[in-house]
Amino acid sequence: MAVHLARGGGEVVTNFLAIETSCDETAAAVFTDELRVMSNVVASQTGLHAKFGGVVPEIASRAHVRSLLPVVDEALSRAGVSLAQVGCIAVHNTPGLVGALLVGVSAAKMLAAGLGVPVVAVNHVQSHIYACRLAAGRDIFPCVGLVVSGGHTALLRCDSPLAMTLLGGTRDDAAGEAFDKVAAILGLGFPGGPAVEREAAAGDAAAFDFPRAFVSDGRLEFSFSGLKTAVLYACHGQDVSRATPPPPGKRRADLAASFQAAVIDVLAAKAKQALRQTGLKRLAVGGGVSANQALRAALAAVCEKEGAELFIPPMNLCTDNAAMAALAVEKWKRGEFAPPDLDAEPNWL
Ligand code: KG4
Ligand code: ZN
């Protein structure tokens, strides 16, 4: 049975062990029901997927199986908490790669059964927003949430931690996926986001007039596949059968800068529309693409103009991690425990 540590006044503190395996990071964290993060360990698989230019689901699942228990051990040891002192297991069971999620969900259920503690299942995209709450150390709700990563591009209306609804998502590629694919077209390697950002620094963002899907209508939706194809055609013309990446130089930098500007214009425009349509005055951002400095600057400009407050957590809480699953504390307080037959759910809705 779990042992609880004494809090002042005779109350007890409950330790949470959280698990994240939705994509290509194997992560575990320990935090308390007072949202004190005691450890946050991430084992990245980037090296395993780099030669394929993207995440290979089967390879991701197998790597999670190998890494998860060592990562859990590391998180417990860094926190100075033993398994017997864990009072709840939190896990992301949706959305993500089904095989990858299953590894985390199975481990969570196994650990919880062995310890005699509950499992609380949380939504990975909602946790990205909750990372802003965690980093801010104060309430951030109600807010508009923007999650931009390799797997997701989503705008959410977040009335409270447990009342987050999807305003709109992407119809095809996620923003980070577009960065990764365009990096591959330009021969810049994987993961593409940081490489494209570096290349774009030397380029002219107005050199190519790339499409900005839905930018001027009120739809809170995204589409990046046409943009990706436009970059491909600008690189090679329409005969892409023998396409090789463009050589380093001004043209390649211009392509990167123009592509990046198109993505950022759309993200900033949709964030602005979401703030206006909801009337909310806070914007909470998460996901790996929010590392992009130009995106941060564009979102800061939008928030300043709209009189809204911007929340972007530090990088270790922006990219995939298990500490953001502290959203589980909110569910745990309400007694919303996962059923014994909890399953992995690849799609959110
Ligand atoms: O949240 P994350 O670590 O993992 C998930 O995909 O869930 O996000 C990774 C994504 C990748 O697509 C990567 O290319 C992108 O975030 N990314 C960036 C930057 N750094 C990472 N995109 C644009 N600019 C960056 N500086
Ligand atoms: Zn994520």
Side-chain angles (χ1 to χ4, degrees):
M1 230 10 223
V3 175
H4 303 283
L5 304 178
R7 191 170 8 217
E11 284 178 82
V12 290
V13 176
T14 297
N15 293 315
F16 285 66
L17 169 65
I19 291 173
E20 149 62 29
T21 61
S22 70
C23 190
D24 62 339
E25 324 279 0
T26 313
V30 176
F31 46 81
T32 69
D33 62 334
E34 295 172 318
L35 300 182
R36 190 160 76 83
V37 178
M38 294 153 85
S39 65
N40 190 16
V41 177
V42 179
S44 175
Q45 304 174 4
T46 305
L48 295 178
H49 302 287
K51 68 171 176 242
F52 302 102
V55 177
V56 182
E58 180 63 21
I59 292 176
S61 308
R62 288 171 188 270
H64 286 311
V65 170
R66 277 195 305 274
S67 308
L68 184 55
L69 292 181
V71 166
V72 163
D73 278 344
E74 182 66 23
L76 290 168
S77 113
R78 284 193 203 173
V81 167
S82 70
L83 258 187
Q85 291 174 313
V86 169
C88 181
I89 309 286
V91 67
H92 290 137
N93 75 315
T94 186
L97 302 170
V98 69
L101 286 166
L102 263 176
V103 178
V105 168
S106 307
K109 291 201 284 191
M110 175 201 67
L111 285 165
L115 295 171
V117 301
V119 173
V120 173
V122 278
N123 177 303
H124 175 100
V125 172
Q126 296 181 345
S127 286
H128 270 300
I129 302 305
Y130 200 75
C132 294
R133 156 73 186 87
L134 211 53
R138 65 184 164 94
D139 196 13
I140 62 160
F141 299 94
C143 62
V144 167
L146 173 65
V147 178
V148 274
S149 71
H152 313 285
T153 306
L155 275 164
L156 300 93
R157 180 192 174 99
C158 312
D159 288 301
S160 71
L162 297 179
M164 299 194 208
T165 50
L166 195 60
L167 293 169
T170 179
R171 290 196 169 191
D172 38 60
D173 294 345
E177 188 180 359
F179 269 95
D180 294 335
K181 289 178 174 170
V182 164
I185 293 168
L186 299 180
L188 297 174
F190 175 81
V196 169
E197 183 170 21
R198 275 194 302 277
E199 185 74 10
D204 174 6
F208 294 87
D209 186 17
F210 288 137
R212 285 142 168 83
F214 312 142
V215 76
S216 49
D217 64 40
R219 259 182 295 182
L220 298 177
E221 279 189 300
F222 304 89
S223 167
F224 295 110
S225 69
L227 168 60
K228 172 193 67 190
T229 308
V231 175
L232 185 69
Y233 288 170
C235 264
H236 308 296
Q238 303 232 344
D239 178 12
V240 292
S241 55
R242 291 212 198 106
T244 50
K250 171 95 172 79
R251 189 159 186 279
R252 193 175 78 173
D254 286 351
L255 285 162
S258 302
F259 158 77
Q260 179 175 272
V263 175
I264 291 171
D265 280 357
V266 171
L267 293 175
K270 293 294 159 190
K272 180 163 104 182
Q273 286 170 12
L275 286 168
R276 288 197 177 168
Q277 286 181 27
T278 59
L280 296 171
K281 291 291 177 197
R282 289 171 176 153
L283 179 65
V285 185
V289 181
S290 57
N292 189 286
Q293 293 302 323
L295 174 63
R296 285 174 176 239
L299 294 176
V302 164
C303 285
E304 191 173 346
K305 189 145 180 274
E306 299 301 308
E309 197 177 355
L310 177 63
F311 297 91
I312 307 182
M315 271 323 289
N316 66 331
L317 290 176
C318 262
T319 51
D320 283 352
N321 68 89
M324 67 188 191
L327 174 59
V329 172
E330 307 279 350
K331 278 195 167 179
W332 173 85
K333 283 181 181 161
R334 290 196 193 173
E336 286 182 27
F337 304 147
D341 62 349
L342 175 72
D343 211 347
E345 175 50 64
N347 302 311
W348 182 2
L349 296 174

